[in-house]
Structures are given as structure tokens and as C-alpha cells.
Amino acid sequence: SNYLRHAFSEPSRNLPGTFAGAMSNYLRHACVAAVFGQTLFAHGAVDARTAGYVPDDSTRFCLPAAPQAGRMVDSVSEWVDALNGLLERGLADHAARPEWDAERATRGGEVLLALQNRDAMWGRSIVSNSYADGGCITTESAAHVREAALADAEARADPSAFAAVASDPLDAGVAAWLIRG
């Protein structure tokens, strides 16, 4: 729509090669994750699948047949830096290639579209994973639902199945990783 084009990709008159829409301005000043003191801020859930995981710049916004490329980093600070670097590179890629290619197969910044999508990330989206879609998230019942949904998603080898997976807010492994920094 014209609104979305204006909000995201209206060319900037002041900064050639960049965009001036409200969404572009927001993203240029945003962080995927940030640490203030000893507190980590992220839009989605940090869980055993997302902690330390950084998608590859070539990650596509698609329904993949298998997990897409990525890498693991050891520390929270390295992870935050890597995710925010991915955001910067994705925005630069979008500025260089804002339109779909002739085959309508890819476009610049596609990794950022994928980053916010559980399916494209094979359940490893720091942006859209969540601890709950309602209800009490720390009960034994919630743990069983979480475990069953994750087992189902992995067994089906279907990235869409991760939509039913909620992250574990009490995961001791993730807590230990966060504490190590």
C-alpha cells in the first residue's frame, strides 16, 4: 500500500541511499536486543533455541524445508552485538535493494523479515517467540504443553508447527547463560 511504502521506503532527500519513512527511522535507531546494567531487553523470548543464536545474513523470508544457516555465540554481549549488527546490515541491504528481483525471489533486507517470523527462523525468532499466549506460564501443565508442542514441531519437521511452541521462562540453562553474561 502507499501508506506502507511511505512509512518504510520513502527515499530520503537528506541522506542519499537511505529511506526516510517513520518505520525506517525507527529501525535505524532500534536494537534487536540491548543490555542495561544486568538486564537484557528483547522484543520476544530468550529461550534454549534463541539464546546465543545469530541468523546468517543470507537467511530468507520463506517457509524453509530445514533450518536456515546461523551460528552460535558464547556470551550475551557478543550475541547482542551480533544481532544488532545483523539489523544494521539488513537495513543497508534493504537500502541497496529495496525492490524484489526480476524473479520476485529475493529483496534487500530479507533477513529482517525472516528475523521476526517463527516459521522462517524454524522456531528461533528472538522477535516473535513468546513465553505464553495466555494463561499461567509457570505451572506443571504449561510445561507439559510446551514440551509437547516442541516435540511435535521437531517431529513433523514443519516450521509452521513452531507457532504453537511457547518458550520456557524457567529454563535453568538459559538462566545460567544469561548470568554468565
Side-chain angles (χ1 to χ4, degrees):
S1 78
N2 286 337
Y3 171 76
L4 287 177
R5 179 171 296 279
H6 178 73
F8 190 71
S9 39
E10 188 70 23
S12 172
R13 291 185 205 94
N14 301 325
L15 299 170
T18 66
F19 297 92
M23 184 62 77
S24 291
N25 286 334
Y26 169 77
L27 289 172
R28 270 198 304 279
H29 294 94
C31 293
V32 176
V35 175
F36 293 95
Q38 293 190 359
T39 304
L40 171 68
F41 291 86
H43 183 274
V46 181
D47 61 22
R49 300 180 61 74
T50 60
Y53 179 74
V54 181
D56 190 79
D57 287 16
S58 66
T59 300
R60 302 286 312 278
F61 180 53
C62 64
L63 198 60
Q68 299 190 68
R71 64 187 170 95
M72 296 300 293
V73 298
D74 293 327
S75 72
V76 174
S77 60
E78 185 181 2
W79 182 61
V80 167
D81 289 346
L83 288 174
N84 291 328
L86 181 73
L87 173 61
E88 290 176 17
R89 291 187 305 279
L91 291 171
D93 186 32
H94 180 266
R97 304 179 307 123
E99 303 295 333
W100 288 99
D101 64 8
E103 293 80 32
R104 246 186 107 63
T106 188
R107 64 184 287 179
E110 195 169 353
V111 66
L112 301 180
L113 295 172
L115 185 63
Q116 58 77 42
N117 184 274
R118 288 185 198 182
D119 295 357
M121 296 305 303
W122 205 267
R124 294 181 114 171
S125 173
I126 185 60
V127 177
S128 64
N129 282 13
S130 66
Y131 291 114
D133 291 326
C136 181
I137 61 176
T138 57
T139 63
E140 189 174 318
S141 173
H144 290 303
V145 169
R146 250 192 324 276
E147 291 163 9
L150 182 57
D152 179 59
E154 291 173 343
R156 289 175 36 199
D158 174 5
S160 295
F162 287 99
V165 176
S167 301
D168 183 359
L170 301 177
D171 187 309
V174 174
W177 181 77
L178 291 167
I179 290 168
R180 279 194 312 271

